[in-house]
Amino acid sequence: WTHSIDSTVDEPYNIIQTVDSGFAIVGSQNYSGFESFIFFIKTDKNGDTLWTKSFGTFGGDAAGSEVIQTVHNGYLIAGTYDSTTNQTFVGIIIRTDSIGNLLWSKLYGGPVGSRFYAFLEYNSNKYLAVGEHQYSAPYDIDAYFVMIDSAGDTVWTKQYGGSNWDAMYSAVLTSNKEIISVGHTKSYGAGNSDVWVVKMDSMGDTLWTRAYGGTQDDFGYSIEKTPDGGFIIAGATENFGADSVDVYLLKIDSVGNLQWQRLFGGSGSDYGVDVKSTVDGGMILTGRRDTNYYGVYVIKLDSNGCLTLEANFTYNFQTSFAVGFIDSSLNSLSWHWSFGDGDTSVLQNPAHTYSSYGTYPVCVIVSNSCYTDTFCDSINILPVGLNYRSDKNLARIYPNPFSSSTTFNFSTALFNSGAPFSVAIYDLFGRQVKKVENINSEIIVIQRDDLRSGMYFYKLLNQFGVLANGKLIIQ
């Protein structure tokens, strides 16, 4: 199903599935083109709205970044409140009951400003908000962590960073309740901005930090645990051959060692916003594209962060000797063709002209950033009118399966060429068990005779080679 929930909702930032199989959505709702409020929508499992709430005050902008359903079926929302009167912003956390009624709201941070970008449940009585904390304008910004209890009271706060802009956008818990978060750093690392990962203990003290990226900008927006105890990170990069900005996907082990990295994207700006593990051991990546138009896309990947690769091609005859090849491979980035006569090509969709009649084995080897695959097919270069790939074009066979006899109904093109042809039948061991030669009728009937029940193969042949082949089943 699809739903357009509210035309006044400008930006939804987070959706979760609730215990009743419905959904809770938070974001930012514009009011009269000036202020914005936190919107909070609850739907049933079909996406139909059950209730909507908004939180905020005039004279400021508020946005909800993430929502959690608590063990008591209430909700906690973390976000940011910007005051338009004194030009400051603070982190905000709101608690509601099970139907969205406000229980309390509290502000966190200062003196210049703080923002919360992510929120997670540490245990049934503790919750962690992560984001950024600004000390002075414009770039003295640190990664910001606030642990609160169920009443919203601060248990501890931590700020990590250097003299430039450092922030955190996502966090998860490890199996032993340690905290690992991802964001970006302009204070550390190799480039202008690097992906930054910080691992902390239950009190927020750092266990290790790592920076990843190149000399240009890199950002980490989402982190997720993987079944092997490591982590997968989604973000964006201007490095490693990126065209403008590409989706940046990294895999690290449990102590932060980089295991692999992948890039996805086109000619514009592409960002990886969120990544989640899937039950098949792979992962699903969501992102956005900002190129002439704005788009949202989803990429399904295997456990190596790779797109499934499958080689395939089709072809068509341009003349008796000229063939156009069309790549129909899945997720291929490079191609190497061999046409069976010694010639090759690295074009995606090449054309090739043969010099003589015959049957040629054509293969394409395709590759992407992870894998290589090969697909081969035989091309029959025949006199005019006989260049067919599929037996459906040359002969219709019925019934198949059959018990006593089957009928071959041949295309008139076979006779127009003037080249004699025959039908041969083979058993599973490749032994020829029947053959009808010099066929001069569009319809022939082949009797079963003493052939046993089972699978057989037929070939439609002439002096130039195999025109078509297929299976026959005798019942």
Side-chain angles (χ1 to χ4, degrees), residues 386-408:
L386 285 184
N387 283 327
Y388 293 92
R389 179 181 185 184
S390 170
D391 60 325
K392 292 181 180 179
N393 292 317
L394 294 178
R396 189 164 59 93
I397 303 164
Y398 56 89
N400 186 21
F402 67 94
S403 56
S404 59
S405 65
T406 189
T407 298
F408 279 69

Side-chain angles (χ1 to χ4, degrees), residues 48-69:
D48 294 318
T49 300
L50 299 177
W51 45 258
T52 63
K53 303 289 182 178
S54 62
F55 307 101
T57 60
F58 292 102
D61 294 318
S65 300
E66 198 149 355
V67 59
I68 295 172
Q69 188 171 26

Side-chain angles (χ1 to χ4, degrees), residues 13 28 43 49 61 75 102 123 158 170 182 184 186 188 191 214 243 262 269 278 293 322 342 413 415 434 457 464 475:
Y13 292 132
S28 174
T43 77
T49 300
D61 294 318
Y75 299 93
L102 180 66
N123 58 35
K158 299 287 182 178
S170 177
V182 69
H184 84 273
K186 285 181 173 287
Y188 312 110
D243 189 350
R262 311 274 185 249
S269 298
T278 53
Y293 62 90
F415 302 97
K434 275 184 179 291
F457 299 93
F464 303 109
Q475 296 175 329

Side-chain angles (χ1 to χ4, degrees), residues 270-408:
D270 303 284
Y271 301 83
V273 176
D274 199 8
V275 63
K276 290 288 185 286
S277 297
T278 53
V279 293
D280 60 0
M283 58 199 70
I284 193 161
L285 174 69
T286 60
R288 78 175 194 268
R289 168 165 290 178
D290 300 348
T291 309
N292 297 327
Y293 62 90
Y294 293 96
V296 176
Y297 60 86
V298 179
I299 306 174
K300 178 66 176 70
L301 303 165
D302 65 16
S303 59
N304 295 313
C306 298
L307 293 164
T308 301
L309 180 66
E310 183 178 336
N312 202 354
F313 66 83
T314 60
Y315 59 86
N316 56 68
F317 288 94
Q318 299 170 342
T319 68
S320 293
F321 293 98
V323 183
F325 295 92
I326 302 101
D327 171 56
S328 56
S329 304
L330 183 65
N331 301 317
S332 55
L333 296 177
S334 65
W335 305 264
H336 186 275
W337 297 83
S338 58
F339 300 114
D341 61 355
D343 284 349
T344 61
S345 175
V346 293
L347 297 176
Q348 182 178 4
N349 300 301
H352 183 67
T353 301
Y354 291 91
S355 59
S356 60
Y357 296 127
T359 300
Y360 297 90
V362 177
C363 294
V364 62
I365 302 172
V366 299
S367 300
N368 62 19
S369 59
C370 300
Y371 305 121
T372 298
D373 193 31
T374 302
F375 177 78
C376 298
D377 200 359
S378 294
I379 308 297
N380 298 308
I381 304 300
L382 307 171
V384 175
L386 285 184
N387 283 327
Y388 293 92
R389 179 181 185 184
S390 170
D391 60 325
K392 292 181 180 179
N393 292 317
L394 294 178
R396 189 164 59 93
I397 303 164
Y398 56 89
N400 186 21
F402 67 94
S403 56
S404 59
S405 65
T406 189
T407 298
F408 279 69

Side-chain angles (χ1 to χ4, degrees), residues 39-163:
F39 78 80
F40 184 24
I41 298 174
K42 179 68 175 69
T43 77
D44 62 18
K45 64 180 181 180
N46 298 313
D48 294 318
T49 300
L50 299 177
W51 45 258
T52 63
K53 303 289 182 178
S54 62
F55 307 101
T57 60
F58 292 102
D61 294 318
S65 300
E66 198 149 355
V67 59
I68 295 172
Q69 188 171 26
T70 68
V71 293
H72 304 295
N73 294 329
Y75 299 93
L76 280 164
I77 300 168
T80 301
Y81 173 74
D82 290 2
S83 172
T84 57
T85 56
N86 56 19
Q87 302 298 309
T88 62
F89 52 91
V90 291
I92 184 171
I93 297 177
I94 294 169
R95 182 155 195 162
T96 77
D97 62 18
S98 61
I99 56 174
N101 296 316
L102 180 66
L103 298 179
W104 52 256
S105 66
K106 295 191 177 183
L107 304 178
Y108 305 83
V112 177
S114 304
R115 290 188 173 98
F116 289 148
Y117 297 119
F119 199 33
L120 62 87
E121 183 176 20
Y122 187 80
N123 58 35
S124 60
N125 190 49
K126 289 182 181 178
Y127 304 88
L128 179 69
V130 302
E132 64 183 25
H133 178 82
Q134 185 170 348
Y135 290 95
S136 61
Y139 294 121
D140 188 9
I141 303 172
D142 282 351
Y144 188 39
F145 304 86
V146 179
M147 183 75 82
I148 64 168
D149 61 21
S150 58
D153 296 327
T154 300
V155 178
W156 53 256
T157 64
K158 299 287 182 178
Q159 296 92 38
Y160 295 109
S163 59

